[in-house]
Amino acid sequence: MNEELDPEIAALIANSEDGKADNSDNILDNVEEFEVPTKRKSLFSKSVDEVVHGGSGNRSIHEVDLSKTTFDPLDKLVSDQPSEVFADKTYYKTVLTGENQSAQRVHQVLSKYLTCKDPKDRAVFRQQIVTAYWELIRGMVGKMSSSATPMPKRMLIRFGVLLPSLFKEEQKAYFSKIFLENRTGEPILYTDEWFKEIATGKMTNSATDEKKQSHKTANMSADEAAMVEQSRLMQLQSKNSGKLQSAENLLNIKENERQMLENDLRDKLENLMEHQPVLGMEPHRAALTEFQRKLFPELTDLIHRISKNDKELSKCLAEYQEAKGTYDNVQSKISDQGPIQTNDTEAVKIEFETVRQMAKMTVGRRGNQFPIFTREFYHCTERGTGSRENVIEVLRWIESIDPGVFHRIHKNIPNRIVPYVLLVPTYGDRGFCWEPFDRYNRVTSRGRIVVPMYPKDLKIAVLTAVADLRWQVAKEKASYYWMEEGLTGQYYQHAEQLKLKGDLKEFFIEDYILWMTKESEGVQRLDKDVRGIFWRNMPFPKERKEELRKRSLVYDELCKKDANREMSDGY
């Protein structure tokens, strides 16, 4: 297999080209002949890392920017210059070369599957492909951090594309235009990028129930010990980064508050010091006016508020200085250690098993587990395909209706924290939340959600993931009182009243989808109590509320209740 590709594929292609296929839409039509690799095309003249991961400047997707309030508009969803990776006639051979017996197994089973006419045998081969494919991927994921890894191998991990001839021409044209690099700066990652971040230590492994094995440095080489120490420092830096950002955010709020109070004080003092000349008694000026005398209690109140602000600001400044000192100390240790080109294969192996489980979950037990891209199962539109840009557009739409969807409250301050989004190349229909935040940094760490790339409805797939995230964050916030307090508590009590049986979170996710797709447009589909719970805990923007109240008395009544709460308790 390492020397020559199995010649059976040539015979299969020949049979297909001789017209022995069943019909014109057979997935073996127009399969290109395999050629011996020659010179790499222009795409490969750049480093693969530059092509796939370039374009986002110095901005790291792992740094949470608390000043951002929404997703930046995308100028383009696809590139004007399509890549040539899928036009490479050696694509299939490049993917499988150097992957040992797992590649041979995939090739043999795929060959039988593509030429099999008997439906029962075809079903057997189809199941065998699933097992063989994941064994192939297991050996490839550790190579994603290497710049020497050929682009076809990356595209297999990213899109599930093993054989370009399984595309229709228009599908191949579209996938060739999908941006390879992350131009957005958002933490939306393809699977190959995900493994690369894990391997280099920039991301920690996704949480699992398994106990993490302790590292025994006594039996390690110097390089291995350095990698372990760097991983520990990176994890510590991530934790301290959250504290630093939170402290700085609070400090900025207090500084802005001081600025507003001082501006107000300056304006009032200037008004107080304005004295009109007395006609006929120049240069003498008049005494204070009645308006100016009323400024005294206001000035006194302002001075008290500035004094209170100063105490709070001093405390915030001390917390920020402490957090910055700790962060700088860890950063110094990382710098002293020097750049280490890590490739934590053990972490990647662990993450592979997790990602495989994630892929299964997007599909479900009764879904299509077939892991390879083929026009036989791909029925998405271009906008309905889960590319990075398309998913960001859906997330932007969700945030326009549910502005607090990514907010996490800390010290009564809402921090907008977009989760990591893993795009898995499956034919699943449901996304989900793997973890709401990092267990070592609950303040500003990103959660992790998973979205299938080839669903029937991309909007619904992303909505299910976001709804799951909403539920888990609210549940973690309420902690032991999740059945009594907050969003989850109110929803639980509603379910208890109706005596609903089944998974409560699933009920919530279905209701959230209705909330976003129907109720946001004024189409009443939810139970009255659920609508009230969502209206209070996941409010629409003010402008949308005003539009809705014009459409129905139901929403008008909810707006009136909002006004009453604002007057009674400052809701």
Side-chain angles (χ1 to χ4, degrees):
M1 182 64 203
N2 295 335
E3 297 288 335
E4 288 286 329
L5 198 64
D6 193 309
E8 284 184 14
I9 195 70
L12 296 176
I13 297 167
N15 288 341
S16 174
E17 291 175 345
D18 287 342
K20 295 179 181 179
D22 287 344
N23 53 60
S24 61
D25 198 41
N26 188 288
I27 57 178
L28 279 174
D29 284 356
N30 303 317
V31 178
E32 301 95 337
E33 298 246 9
F34 295 111
E35 297 176 358
V36 178
T38 54
K39 245 183 175 179
R40 290 291 181 195
K41 294 178 173 61
S42 59
L43 176 66
F44 298 93
S45 62
K46 300 180 181 180
S47 73
V48 177
D49 192 64
E50 179 185 355
V51 174
V52 177
H53 297 282
S56 53
N58 296 324
R59 184 173 165 187
S60 170
I61 61 170
H62 306 296
E63 296 176 6
V64 178
D65 185 357
L66 297 178
S67 64
K68 286 195 67 174
T69 58
T70 186
F71 292 98
D72 294 331
L74 299 179
D75 54 343
K76 296 177 182 177
L77 296 182
V78 293
S79 174
D80 293 332
Q81 297 180 338
S83 73
E84 299 179 1
V85 60
F86 300 119
D88 183 0
K89 293 187 177 181
T90 65
Y91 181 101
Y92 181 74
K93 185 170 184 175
T94 302
V95 169
L96 296 184
T97 298
E99 302 303 330
N100 302 320
Q101 294 302 314
S102 59
Q104 183 67 35
R105 176 65 176 159
V106 166
H107 169 66
Q108 290 173 346
V109 178
L110 181 64
S111 301
K112 294 174 183 177
Y113 172 79
L114 294 177
T115 55
C116 181
K117 301 294 191 294
D118 186 281
K120 292 182 180 180
D121 290 341
R122 190 174 174 83
V124 172
F125 294 138
R126 177 175 164 181
Q127 185 57 44
Q128 289 177 351
I129 285 177
V130 175
T131 305
Y133 173 86
W134 284 108
E135 283 304 309
L136 173 65
I137 298 302
R138 185 194 302 276
M140 293 178 64
V141 292
K143 302 175 182 179
M144 294 302 106
S145 62
S146 171
S147 60
T149 302
M151 190 64 73
K153 291 182 184 288
R154 293 182 182 276
M155 295 301 100
L156 173 64
I157 305 294
R158 179 176 295 200
F159 297 128
V161 177
L162 175 60
L163 195 60
S165 58
L166 300 183
F167 278 123
K168 288 182 179 178
E169 282 306 312
E170 60 271 21
Q171 293 167 355
K172 182 190 289 188
Y174 168 66
F175 275 76
S176 298
K177 292 188 294 182
I178 295 177
F179 287 108
L180 296 177
E181 72 280 6
N182 187 349
R183 303 165 63 251
T184 68
E186 298 293 349
I188 321 295
L189 301 174
Y190 292 110
T191 312
D192 63 303
E193 297 171 332
W194 189 274
F195 285 121
K196 178 184 182 338
E197 298 302 297
I198 295 292
T200 54
K202 295 176 183 177
M203 280 176 64
T204 58
N205 283 95
S206 302
T208 60
D209 294 332
E210 298 178 6
K211 293 183 179 179
K212 194 171 182 180
Q213 295 181 351
S214 60
H215 295 283
K216 297 181 179 179
T217 55
N219 299 325
M220 290 183 180
S221 65
D223 289 342
E224 289 174 334
M227 285 172 58
V228 170
E229 177 62 12
Q230 187 188 51
S231 178
R232 185 188 72 82
L233 289 173
M234 294 290 288
Q235 188 178 83
L236 190 60
Q237 185 189 43
S238 175
K239 182 178 180 180
N240 290 328
S241 174
K243 291 182 179 179
L244 179 63
Q245 290 180 64
S246 179
E248 186 174 18
N249 197 34
L250 288 170
L251 181 60
N252 289 335
I253 290 171
K254 291 303 173 184
E255 287 178 337
N256 291 335
E257 182 183 331
R258 180 176 65 180
Q259 187 65 50
M260 288 189 293
L261 290 171
E262 289 176 345
N263 290 341
D264 197 10
L265 178 64
R266 184 185 299 109
D267 292 341
K268 285 181 167 54
L269 284 173
E270 288 176 354
N271 287 332
L272 186 68
M273 293 185 292
E274 285 184 5
H275 307 293
Q276 299 299 322
V278 181
L279 295 176
M281 298 179 66
E282 293 81 356
H284 301 290
R285 292 180 176 270
L288 298 175
T289 64
E290 190 63 30
F291 170 76
Q292 288 174 318
R293 293 190 184 99
K294 289 181 180 179
L295 291 176
F296 286 121
E298 294 181 20
L299 288 168
T300 303
D301 178 60
L302 271 174
I303 291 172
H304 283 308
R305 289 169 63 187
I306 290 174
S307 177
K308 180 183 177 182
N309 169 270
D310 183 63
K311 292 178 182 177
E312 294 172 347
L313 190 147
S314 298
K315 183 179 178 181
C316 290
L317 184 59
E319 291 176 353
Y320 174 71
Q321 287 174 328
E322 181 183 359
K324 191 173 190 305
T326 305
Y327 181 86
D328 289 344
N329 184 37
V330 175
Q331 186 65 37
S332 176
K333 290 181 179 178
I334 293 175
S335 300
D336 292 343
Q337 198 177 34
I340 297 177
Q341 294 298 322
T342 63
N343 186 13
D344 193 340
T345 54
E346 191 62 33
V348 173
K349 288 177 183 177
I350 294 171
E351 191 67 16
F352 165 77
E353 297 299 337
T354 305
V355 170
R356 184 176 182 179
Q357 183 65 23
M358 291 174 176
K360 289 181 179 179
M361 290 174 63
T362 63
V363 175
R365 292 183 180 179
R366 299 182 179 179
N368 181 5
Q369 299 282 350
F370 197 77
I372 297 172
F373 182 95
T374 166
R375 60 174 175 254
E376 184 180 359
F377 302 129
Y378 173 82
H379 303 295
C380 302
T381 62
E382 290 188 4
R383 290 298 298 270
T385 301
S387 68
R388 184 181 357 246
E389 287 70 23
N390 286 341
V391 169
I392 288 177
E393 285 299 294
V394 176
L395 291 173
R396 187 208 308 282
W397 168 77
I398 292 174
E399 201 169 28
S400 71
I401 297 173
D402 183 5
V405 63
F406 300 127
H407 285 179
R408 206 179 302 158
I409 308 297
H410 177 65
K411 293 185 178 180
N412 294 323
I413 305 297
N415 295 326
R416 178 183 178 271
I417 304 170
V418 177
Y420 289 115
V421 182
L422 172 61
L423 306 177
V424 291
T426 66
Y427 301 102
D429 292 319
R430 292 176 65 86
F432 60 90
C433 172
W434 186 262
E435 53 186 289
F437 40 71
D438 190 296
R439 60 182 178 272
Y440 297 110
N441 176 13
R442 299 166 68 94
V443 179
T444 58
S445 64
R446 300 189 190 276
R448 303 188 184 201
I449 65 176
V450 184
V451 174
M453 291 186 66
Y454 312 132
K456 293 177 183 175
D457 190 322
L458 181 61
K459 184 178 288 186
I460 298 300
V462 179
L463 273 173
T464 53
V466 169
D468 195 357
L469 175 70
R470 259 240 181 244
W471 177 265
Q472 291 198 46
V473 169
K475 189 175 181 180
E476 290 290 339
K477 179 185 176 184
S479 188
Y480 299 109
Y481 305 100
W482 75 269
M483 291 185 289
E484 303 169 19
E485 298 179 355
L487 173 63
T488 56
Q490 294 173 35
Y491 193 84
Y492 175 84
Q493 291 163 24
H494 162 74
E496 283 290 289
Q497 289 177 355
L498 295 183
K499 297 181 179 179
L500 296 177
K501 303 296 182 183
D503 189 341
L504 187 64
K505 186 173 72 173
E506 286 302 311
F507 288 131
F508 173 83
I509 290 173
E510 295 303 319
D511 283 344
Y512 184 83
I513 292 172
L514 291 175
W515 177 247
M516 296 294 291
T517 59
K518 300 298 181 182
E519 296 280 344
S520 66
E521 299 296 329
V523 181
Q524 297 166 38
R525 288 289 184 271
L526 291 176
D527 178 271
K528 178 182 177 182
D529 290 340
V530 173
R531 184 182 299 112
I533 293 169
F534 283 12
W535 186 274
R536 292 189 299 273
N537 292 279
M538 301 183 296
F540 296 134
K542 187 175 181 180
E543 300 78 13
R544 188 171 289 264
K545 283 185 174 183
E546 291 301 320
E547 291 178 12
L548 290 174
R549 75 183 305 176
K550 298 174 185 177
R551 299 190 184 187
S552 170
L553 292 174
V554 170
Y555 302 110
D556 183 55
E557 187 65 28
L558 288 169
C559 288
K560 289 178 180 176
K561 288 181 179 179
D562 282 349
N564 292 337
R565 276 191 291 269
E566 287 177 2
M567 288 188 292
S568 62
D569 59 8
Y571 167 76

